[in-house]
Amino acid sequence: QVQLVESGGGLVQPGGSLRLSCAASGFTFSTYRMSWYRQAPGKERELVAGITTTGSTTNYADSVKGRFTISRDKTKNTVYLQMNSLKPDDTAVYYCRAASTPGGRQIYWGQGTQVTVSS
């Protein structure tokens, strides 16, 4: 059974930090590209960050560059999103996504974790 289980969300003040985790099971983690997406109320889901199967290449939305870092640990089948200098605009539900390689024919999503940035 495929599972992507996110954790680490919560309430944080502006300027604070959070680290999200996404634990994967039920598929071959090392062959899947991993990404974090987010969806704020009334907005479309958007890509935040992505990482290749080996972790050698990452990409980020312009809005989070220099503040967020995506990484993966093959020994734990887990992908992380370190979020620093958080802003109220970062408030959203954050989702973990797995895409098979090559081609992304198989896509899996986690259930999401809420991140709220507020004073």
Side-chain angles (χ1 to χ4, degrees), residues 6 8 18 32 34-36 65 70 76 88 90 98 100 107 111:
E6 298 104 332
L18 283 175
Y32 279 67
M34 301 300 296
S35 304
W36 286 96
K65 280 181 182 176
I70 188 171
K76 298 181 179 179
D90 295 318
S100 61
I107 303 293
Q111 83 287 351

PDB file of all heavy atoms in Angstrom, residues 6 8 18 32 34-36 65 70 76 88 90 98 100 107 111:
ATOM      1  N   GLU A   6       2.875  13.190   5.559  1.00  0.00           N
ATOM      2  CA  GLU A   6       3.543  14.450   5.894  1.00  0.00           C
ATOM      3  C   GLU A   6       3.412  14.736   7.395  1.00  0.00           C
ATOM      4  O   GLU A   6       2.425  14.343   8.025  1.00  0.00           O
ATOM      5  CB  GLU A   6       2.932  15.629   5.134  1.00  0.00           C
ATOM      6  CG  GLU A   6       3.040  15.548   3.630  1.00  0.00           C
ATOM      7  CD  GLU A   6       1.743  15.171   2.984  1.00  0.00           C
ATOM      8  OE1 GLU A   6       0.940  14.477   3.631  1.00  0.00           O
ATOM      9  OE2 GLU A   6       1.512  15.571   1.816  1.00  0.00           O
ATOM     10  N   GLY A   8       5.090  17.801  10.562  1.00  0.00           N
ATOM     11  CA  GLY A   8       5.925  18.961  10.842  1.00  0.00           C
ATOM     12  C   GLY A   8       5.252  20.301  10.676  1.00  0.00           C
ATOM     13  O   GLY A   8       5.859  21.336  10.971  1.00  0.00           O
ATOM     14  N   LEU A  18      10.228  26.108  10.118  1.00  0.00           N
ATOM     15  CA  LEU A  18       9.612  24.795  10.285  1.00  0.00           C
ATOM     16  C   LEU A  18      10.324  23.829   9.356  1.00  0.00           C
ATOM     17  O   LEU A  18      10.831  24.240   8.295  1.00  0.00           O
ATOM     18  CB  LEU A  18       8.128  24.814   9.928  1.00  0.00           C
ATOM     19  CG  LEU A  18       7.121  25.415  10.911  1.00  0.00           C
ATOM     20  CD1 LEU A  18       5.739  25.433  10.271  1.00  0.00           C
ATOM     21  CD2 LEU A  18       7.100  24.644  12.214  1.00  0.00           C
ATOM     22  N   TYR A  32      11.690   7.626  -7.689  1.00  0.00           N
ATOM     23  CA  TYR A  32      10.654   8.656  -7.789  1.00  0.00           C
ATOM     24  C   TYR A  32      11.229  10.037  -7.530  1.00  0.00           C
ATOM     25  O   TYR A  32      11.956  10.253  -6.557  1.00  0.00           O
ATOM     26  CB  TYR A  32       9.514   8.396  -6.803  1.00  0.00           C
ATOM     27  CG  TYR A  32       8.522   7.382  -7.293  1.00  0.00           C
ATOM     28  CD1 TYR A  32       8.890   6.047  -7.444  1.00  0.00           C
ATOM     29  CD2 TYR A  32       7.216   7.742  -7.613  1.00  0.00           C
ATOM     30  CE1 TYR A  32       7.988   5.106  -7.909  1.00  0.00           C
ATOM     31  CE2 TYR A  32       6.303   6.813  -8.071  1.00  0.00           C
ATOM     32  CZ  TYR A  32       6.695   5.488  -8.217  1.00  0.00           C
ATOM     33  OH  TYR A  32       5.805   4.562  -8.681  1.00  0.00           O
ATOM     34  N   MET A  34      10.652  13.631  -6.156  1.00  0.00           N
ATOM     35  CA  MET A  34       9.806  14.093  -5.054  1.00  0.00           C
ATOM     36  C   MET A  34       9.647  15.609  -5.116  1.00  0.00           C
ATOM     37  O   MET A  34      10.570  16.337  -5.496  1.00  0.00           O
ATOM     38  CB  MET A  34      10.414  13.693  -3.716  1.00  0.00           C
ATOM     39  CG  MET A  34      10.616  12.201  -3.537  1.00  0.00           C
ATOM     40  SD  MET A  34       9.086  11.252  -3.651  1.00  0.00           S
ATOM     41  CE  MET A  34       8.189  11.882  -2.213  1.00  0.00           C
ATOM     42  N   SER A  35       8.468  16.056  -4.723  1.00  0.00           N
ATOM     43  CA  SER A  35       8.177  17.489  -4.752  1.00  0.00           C
ATOM     44  C   SER A  35       7.303  17.870  -3.564  1.00  0.00           C
ATOM     45  O   SER A  35       6.617  17.016  -2.988  1.00  0.00           O
ATOM     46  CB  SER A  35       7.429  17.862  -6.041  1.00  0.00           C
ATOM     47  OG  SER A  35       8.125  17.483  -7.192  1.00  0.00           O
ATOM     48  N   TRP A  36       7.350  19.151  -3.249  1.00  0.00           N
ATOM     49  CA  TRP A  36       6.411  19.746  -2.306  1.00  0.00           C
ATOM     50  C   TRP A  36       5.567  20.761  -3.062  1.00  0.00           C
ATOM     51  O   TRP A  36       6.091  21.587  -3.813  1.00  0.00           O
ATOM     52  CB  TRP A  36       7.144  20.441  -1.166  1.00  0.00           C
ATOM     53  CG  TRP A  36       7.765  19.511  -0.174  1.00  0.00           C
ATOM     54  CD1 TRP A  36       9.055  19.077  -0.152  1.00  0.00           C
ATOM     55  CD2 TRP A  36       7.122  18.909   0.946  1.00  0.00           C
ATOM     56  NE1 TRP A  36       9.254  18.231   0.910  1.00  0.00           N
ATOM     57  CE2 TRP A  36       8.075  18.122   1.611  1.00  0.00           C
ATOM     58  CE3 TRP A  36       5.828  18.969   1.470  1.00  0.00           C
ATOM     59  CZ2 TRP A  36       7.785  17.386   2.761  1.00  0.00           C
ATOM     60  CZ3 TRP A  36       5.533  18.242   2.606  1.00  0.00           C
ATOM     61  CH2 TRP A  36       6.504  17.464   3.251  1.00  0.00           C
ATOM     62  N   LYS A  65      12.762  30.818  -3.049  1.00  0.00           N
ATOM     63  CA  LYS A  65      14.208  30.678  -3.270  1.00  0.00           C
ATOM     64  C   LYS A  65      14.991  31.428  -2.204  1.00  0.00           C
ATOM     65  O   LYS A  65      14.674  32.570  -1.864  1.00  0.00           O
ATOM     66  CB  LYS A  65      14.580  31.209  -4.652  1.00  0.00           C
ATOM     67  CG  LYS A  65      14.308  30.249  -5.783  1.00  0.00           C
ATOM     68  CD  LYS A  65      14.735  30.830  -7.125  1.00  0.00           C
ATOM     69  CE  LYS A  65      14.412  29.881  -8.253  1.00  0.00           C
ATOM     70  NZ  LYS A  65      14.737  30.469  -9.581  1.00  0.00           N
ATOM     71  N   ILE A  70      14.844  21.827  -0.038  1.00  0.00           N
ATOM     72  CA  ILE A  70      14.319  20.473  -0.134  1.00  0.00           C
ATOM     73  C   ILE A  70      15.486  19.492  -0.101  1.00  0.00           C
ATOM     74  O   ILE A  70      16.560  19.760  -0.653  1.00  0.00           O
ATOM     75  CB  ILE A  70      13.472  20.289  -1.418  1.00  0.00           C
ATOM     76  CG1 ILE A  70      12.762  18.933  -1.418  1.00  0.00           C
ATOM     77  CG2 ILE A  70      14.305  20.496  -2.679  1.00  0.00           C
ATOM     78  CD1 ILE A  70      11.753  18.774  -2.543  1.00  0.00           C
ATOM     79  N   LYS A  76      15.961   6.585   4.862  1.00  0.00           N
ATOM     80  CA  LYS A  76      14.709   6.692   5.603  1.00  0.00           C
ATOM     81  C   LYS A  76      13.490   6.823   4.694  1.00  0.00           C
ATOM     82  O   LYS A  76      12.367   6.973   5.188  1.00  0.00           O
ATOM     83  CB  LYS A  76      14.766   7.907   6.545  1.00  0.00           C
ATOM     84  CG  LYS A  76      15.845   7.809   7.601  1.00  0.00           C
ATOM     85  CD  LYS A  76      15.828   9.019   8.520  1.00  0.00           C
ATOM     86  CE  LYS A  76      16.893   8.898   9.599  1.00  0.00           C
ATOM     87  NZ  LYS A  76      16.914  10.078  10.508  1.00  0.00           N
ATOM     88  N   PRO A  88       3.718  35.431   6.238  1.00  0.00           N
ATOM     89  CA  PRO A  88       2.290  35.101   6.232  1.00  0.00           C
ATOM     90  C   PRO A  88       1.818  34.517   4.900  1.00  0.00           C
ATOM     91  O   PRO A  88       0.934  33.651   4.881  1.00  0.00           O
ATOM     92  CB  PRO A  88       1.635  36.444   6.532  1.00  0.00           C
ATOM     93  CG  PRO A  88       2.647  37.170   7.361  1.00  0.00           C
ATOM     94  CD  PRO A  88       3.977  36.768   6.787  1.00  0.00           C
ATOM     95  N   ASP A  90       3.210  32.419   3.177  1.00  0.00           N
ATOM     96  CA  ASP A  90       3.549  30.993   3.109  1.00  0.00           C
ATOM     97  C   ASP A  90       2.467  30.123   3.730  1.00  0.00           C
ATOM     98  O   ASP A  90       2.544  28.892   3.653  1.00  0.00           O
ATOM     99  CB  ASP A  90       4.882  30.735   3.821  1.00  0.00           C
ATOM    100  CG  ASP A  90       6.049  31.408   3.148  1.00  0.00           C
ATOM    101  OD1 ASP A  90       6.121  31.389   1.901  1.00  0.00           O
ATOM    102  OD2 ASP A  90       6.919  31.951   3.870  1.00  0.00           O
ATOM    103  N   ALA A  98       4.944  12.367  -5.206  1.00  0.00           N
ATOM    104  CA  ALA A  98       5.942  11.469  -5.781  1.00  0.00           C
ATOM    105  C   ALA A  98       5.583  11.200  -7.225  1.00  0.00           C
ATOM    106  O   ALA A  98       4.419  10.898  -7.527  1.00  0.00           O
ATOM    107  CB  ALA A  98       5.987  10.171  -4.985  1.00  0.00           C
ATOM    108  N   SER A 100       6.866   8.964 -10.667  1.00  0.00           N
ATOM    109  CA  SER A 100       7.764   7.916 -11.148  1.00  0.00           C
ATOM    110  C   SER A 100       8.648   8.459 -12.270  1.00  0.00           C
ATOM    111  O   SER A 100       8.289   9.406 -12.969  1.00  0.00           O
ATOM    112  CB  SER A 100       6.957   6.718 -11.642  1.00  0.00           C
ATOM    113  OG  SER A 100       6.107   7.092 -12.712  1.00  0.00           O
ATOM    114  N   ILE A 107       1.728   8.898 -10.197  1.00  0.00           N
ATOM    115  CA  ILE A 107       1.800  10.038  -9.279  1.00  0.00           C
ATOM    116  C   ILE A 107       1.109   9.663  -7.970  1.00  0.00           C
ATOM    117  O   ILE A 107      -0.001   9.106  -7.979  1.00  0.00           O
ATOM    118  CB  ILE A 107       1.104  11.281  -9.853  1.00  0.00           C
ATOM    119  CG1 ILE A 107       1.702  11.664 -11.206  1.00  0.00           C
ATOM    120  CG2 ILE A 107       1.171  12.445  -8.862  1.00  0.00           C
ATOM    121  CD1 ILE A 107       3.122  12.145 -11.135  1.00  0.00           C
ATOM    122  N   GLN A 111      -1.481  13.489   2.221  1.00  0.00           N
ATOM    123  CA  GLN A 111      -2.760  14.053   2.667  1.00  0.00           C
ATOM    124  C   GLN A 111      -2.651  15.532   2.999  1.00  0.00           C
ATOM    125  O   GLN A 111      -3.672  16.210   3.148  1.00  0.00           O
ATOM    126  CB  GLN A 111      -3.268  13.279   3.884  1.00  0.00           C
ATOM    127  CG  GLN A 111      -2.673  13.701   5.226  1.00  0.00           C
ATOM    128  CD  GLN A 111      -1.234  13.273   5.418  1.00  0.00           C
ATOM    129  OE1 GLN A 111      -0.687  12.510   4.630  1.00  0.00           O
ATOM    130  NE2 GLN A 111      -0.618  13.756   6.496  1.00  0.00           N
TER     131      GLN A 111
END
